[in-house]
Amino acid sequence: DQQVKQNSPSLSVQEGRISILNCDYTNSMFDYFLWYKKYPAEGPTFLISISSIKDKNEDGRFTVFLNKSAKHLSLHIVPSQPGDSAVYFCAAANSGYALNFGKGTSLLVTP
Amino acid sequence: NAGVTQTPKFQVLKTGQSMTLQCAQDMNHNSMYWYRQDPGMGLRLIYYSASEGTTDKGEVPNGYNVSRLNKREFSLRLESAAPSQTSVYFCASSEMASGDSYEQYFGPGTRLTVT
């Protein structure tokens, strides 16, 4: 049973606009949430994380929002750039060890 | 710093053959992990090692064994490869989560095909 779900397989956004990637989870014991970016034939690259005691974390163009009551998190990328085109994975950890991954959302940023 | 390195990058095996995937990290992390990724899927945990000298099963451990050789190295062995083990294998490492953040770093992957 998948505990982390990314329900949008793909997203297309124009360059300069905001990209919003969504993620839902079912396990209330998760205490850390991470976002990764992945290019074909490469390993996942860590982007940003948030702990369950916070509701927002920012790093440059990337902001993650956590809504614990809804068991929902989102990644905002502002402004979107063509180089952001990749597959984005949401992941969650219980007690900060192994990660449970969603299936990914493929983001395409068009000029 | 090389981060997390994996060898080999590609491998083709026949059913029943064995092989070992190697992983090393130079970030002095205590914890190491093996995941597999199949087409259209997220990564799934095979085994992990929370610290040197310990290993534990993940979500999909059947058909695999692991060895935490030292703090830097964590290997994954397929004793008798099956076509269902055709996948991309990723090694990762991390420190324990603390405070506001948790980061886990991945290697470039090994693409394994079993015919």
Side-chain angles (χ1 to χ4, degrees):
Chain A
D1 187 30
Q2 193 151 21
Q3 299 182 74
V4 177
K5 297 178 183 177
Q6 294 176 257
N7 292 318
S8 298
S10 63
L11 175 68
S12 183
V13 170
Q14 278 194 314
E15 182 178 5
R17 306 293 287 266
I18 183 171
S19 294
I20 300 176
L21 297 108
N22 293 304
C23 179
D24 297 295
Y25 63 96
T26 58
N27 188 342
S28 57
M29 299 300 290
F30 288 144
D31 50 6
Y32 289 92
F33 303 89
L34 293 75
W35 284 96
Y36 286 86
K37 174 180 179 179
K38 188 180 182 303
Y39 293 119
E42 294 185 10
T45 299
F46 172 79
L47 284 175
I48 191 169
S49 67
I50 187 168
S51 77
S52 58
I53 61 172
K54 304 192 90 171
D55 54 22
K56 178 182 173 182
N57 190 26
E58 285 182 85
D59 185 0
R61 296 186 299 116
F62 302 96
T63 303
V64 57
F65 295 92
L66 176 63
N67 182 334
K68 282 179 59 181
S69 61
K71 294 192 176 70
H72 177 83
L73 62 153
S74 60
L75 176 69
H76 292 209
I77 306 173
V78 185
S80 301
Q81 300 172 354
D84 295 330
S85 297
V87 178
Y88 288 77
F89 288 98
C90 170
N94 180 1
S95 301
Y97 279 123
L99 296 175
N100 293 267
F101 280 84
K103 293 186 178 181
T105 297
S106 179
L107 173 65
L108 177 64
V109 180
T110 56
Chain B
N1 281 0
V4 180
T5 57
Q6 294 182 235
T7 56
K9 284 188 167 47
F10 301 94
Q11 184 71 49
V12 179
L13 290 179
K14 292 190 190 319
T15 297
Q17 287 185 318
S18 62
M19 78 161 296
T20 300
L21 284 66
Q22 306 285 355
C23 173
Q25 52 94 7
D26 62 3
M27 295 173 280
N28 203 36
H29 286 162
N30 280 303
S31 303
M32 297 185 73
Y33 313 82
W34 278 104
Y35 296 86
R36 61 178 284 176
Q37 185 188 19
D38 300 307
M41 301 284 288
L43 282 70
R44 292 182 294 168
L45 182 70
I46 305 171
Y47 269 93
Y48 70 101
S49 171
S51 60
E52 191 177 352
T54 69
T55 60
D56 285 287
K57 294 179 180 179
E59 180 185 354
V60 288
N62 290 347
Y64 305 96
N65 286 303
V66 290
S67 295
R68 183 74 183 266
L69 304 168
N70 47 56
K71 191 172 185 179
R72 288 188 65 247
E73 299 172 287
F74 188 37
S75 63
L76 178 73
R77 183 158 177 85
L78 287 71
E79 290 291 352
S80 178
S84 61
Q85 294 177 304
T86 294
S87 190
V88 182
Y89 292 85
F90 292 102
C91 178
S93 72
S94 74
E95 265 309 330
M96 272 197 68
S98 66
D100 293 344
S101 69
Y102 177 48
E103 300 174 16
Q104 194 171 119
Y105 295 96
F106 284 80
T110 294
R111 282 147 190 82
L112 175 67
T113 301
V114 183
T115 61

